[in-house]
């Protein structure tokens, strides 16, 4: 993997900061890659880390300020999104209370910070507001995993058709990779996912971005056969375009079947390697990777 590691270091766009409020200069090399996107999906391998949530918030700010994105689809709780949309548009309600009652992976200070930033931005731009994407009442919520995936995609597509907004979709990696037959483990559940439907609908206008990490937050270093073990050779935090020019042997690595971390609310660090995504390659699944070498826990709402 030495050649892949050398290529990563030569191609990586180093992140000067993970602070959501940091200036955008280090992100501006991404403008050409993202300017024509209709949906940029930020798929985290774990939704319980401070750093991955912070960098998702930072990318949200960049996409809103620099590239005209005007909706955030916050995956996981339709009722919470409706209340948060009312808050960011009007100031009514208490976002901390809303998130405290939402699903566990949304009950963090990092998510609350992003909500409050949207409200602050909307106050400054009342005629050009950022919205939370809302579920379409005509989309039947799926009960099985395959139906859930289709429903996630249909809601995204209908919100785009209804509003014309460019959408930042902040969710989980398993849902957002372009995975026609991706497998979630433990359990080895194989289904076509939301990202594959979104790629089918939007083509190159759907840009899946993987938010990955090597170790930390009670998680050991990546197993040697995981993509993160190679990605860890890059800078401490960086963005990598998986479709940039690469030597043939590096392209073969990018196109080969792989595994990536996939850590949900149920996780046993003693059996770390069992928690992964498989059934595809990095270059098939994702357009960009944002990799952070070391992470800590998200700050839970109190």
């Amino acid at each position: 993997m030495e050649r892949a590691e050398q290529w990563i270091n030569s191609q990586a766009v180093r992140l000067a900061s993970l602070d959501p409020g940091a200036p955008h200069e280090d992100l501006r090399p991404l403008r050409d890659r993202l300017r024509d996107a209709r949906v940029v999906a930020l798929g985290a391998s774990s939704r319980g880390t401070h750093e991955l949530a912070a960098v998702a918030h930072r990318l949200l700010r960049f996409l809103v300020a620099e590239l005209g994105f005007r909706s955030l689809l916050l995956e996981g709780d339709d009722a919470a999104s409706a209340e948060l949309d009312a808050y960011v548009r009007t100031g009514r309600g208490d976002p901390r209370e809303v998130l405290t009652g939402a699903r566990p992976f949304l009950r963090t200070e990092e998510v609350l910070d992003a909500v409050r930033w949207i409200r602050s931005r909307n106050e400054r731009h009342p005629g050009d507001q950022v919205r939370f994407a809302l579920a379409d009442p005509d989309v039947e919520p799926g009960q099985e995993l395959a139906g859930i995936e289709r429903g996630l995609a249909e809601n995204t597509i209908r919100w785009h058709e209804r509003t014309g907004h460019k959408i930042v979709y902040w969710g989980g990696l398993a849902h957002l990779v372009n995975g026609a037959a991706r497998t979630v483990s433990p359990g080895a559940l194989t289904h076509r996912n939301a990202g594959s439907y979104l790629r089918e609908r939007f083509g190159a206008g759907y840009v899946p971005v993987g938010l990955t990490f090597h170790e930390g937050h009670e998680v050991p270093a990546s197993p040697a056969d995981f993509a993160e073990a190679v990605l860890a050779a890059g800078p401490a935090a960086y963005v990598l375009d998986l479709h940039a020019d690469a030597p043939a042997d590096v392209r073969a690595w990018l196109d080969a079947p792989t595994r990536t971390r996939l850590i949900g609310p149920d996780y046993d660090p003693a059996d770390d390697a069992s928690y992964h995504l498989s059934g595809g390659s990095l270059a098939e699944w994702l357009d960009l990777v944002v990799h952070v070498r070391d992470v800590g826990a998200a700050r839970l709402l109190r």
Side-chain angles (χ1 to χ4, degrees):
M1 293 297 104
E2 182 177 353
R3 287 268 286 178
E5 293 172 356
Q6 292 171 348
W7 178 79
I8 289 167
N9 277 288
S10 70
Q11 294 292 323
V13 176
R14 290 163 171 77
L15 295 179
S17 175
L18 300 182
D19 181 351
H24 295 154
E25 280 78 4
D26 57 332
L27 296 175
R28 291 203 170 110
L30 304 178
R31 286 176 59 92
D32 288 345
R33 186 68 182 80
L34 299 174
R35 72 170 66 252
D36 295 327
R38 292 292 169 263
V39 179
V40 170
L42 308 177
S45 58
S46 169
R47 298 183 74 176
T49 76
H50 168 73
E51 286 77 6
L52 296 190
V55 79
H57 181 181
R58 187 166 186 233
L59 288 167
L60 166 68
R61 292 194 189 198
F62 171 73
L63 290 164
V64 168
E66 302 273 347
L67 295 175
F69 283 70
R70 289 297 180 265
S71 282
L72 171 62
L73 195 160
L74 189 61
E75 181 188 275
D77 197 314
D78 294 340
S81 290
E83 293 184 76
L84 294 173
D85 184 59
Y87 168 74
V88 299
R89 287 187 295 108
T90 70
R92 294 195 302 268
D94 182 346
R96 179 180 290 274
E97 182 178 336
V98 172
L99 291 173
T100 299
R103 296 184 67 184
F105 50 78
L106 298 178
R107 300 174 195 166
T108 69
E109 295 284 354
E110 289 81 2
V111 174
L112 179 59
D113 288 347
V115 174
R116 285 180 167 161
W117 175 77
I118 294 173
R119 174 58 191 156
S120 175
R121 187 233 170 250
N122 285 350
E123 288 182 299
R124 299 191 304 274
H125 303 277
D128 181 26
Q129 294 196 334
V130 175
R131 299 280 308 272
F132 273 81
L134 306 180
D136 190 308
D138 294 328
V139 173
E140 290 291 330
Q143 299 301 314
E144 302 296 329
L145 185 56
I148 291 171
E149 297 291 339
R150 182 183 287 275
L152 290 171
E154 288 182 358
N155 273 312
T156 308
I157 292 165
R158 294 197 186 190
W159 182 258
H160 174 72
E161 291 173 344
R162 174 181 160 189
T163 64
H165 286 185
K166 299 166 76 171
I167 300 168
V168 180
Y169 187 144
W170 183 356
L173 188 70
H175 300 300
L176 297 181
V177 300
N178 173 33
R182 62 95 178 93
T183 299
V184 174
S185 297
L189 300 174
T190 302
H191 291 285
R192 184 177 182 184
N193 76 337
S196 70
Y197 291 111
L198 293 170
R199 173 56 57 82
E200 181 177 73
R201 169 63 178 81
F202 294 107
Y206 176 66
V207 179
V209 181
L211 309 181
T212 64
F213 73 100
H214 181 53
E215 62 185 326
H217 181 33
E218 301 182 349
V219 177
S222 307
D225 62 339
F226 280 36
E228 290 90 340
V230 179
L231 295 171
Y238 64 92
V239 184
L240 181 68
D241 185 346
L242 299 177
H243 299 281
D245 289 342
D249 53 350
V250 175
R251 180 55 52 194
W253 173 71
L254 291 166
D255 291 337
T258 194
R259 296 182 178 189
T260 64
R261 287 199 184 285
L262 196 64
I263 297 176
D266 298 319
Y267 169 71
D268 178 4
D271 192 25
D272 173 64
S274 294
Y275 295 83
H276 64 266
L277 189 71
S278 61
S281 69
L282 278 182
E284 173 193 353
W285 284 338
L286 299 165
D287 290 329
L288 302 171
V289 165
V290 178
H291 187 74
V292 180
R293 189 180 301 145
D294 302 300
V295 299
R299 298 168 290 135
L300 300 181
L301 293 173
R302 303 296 182 187

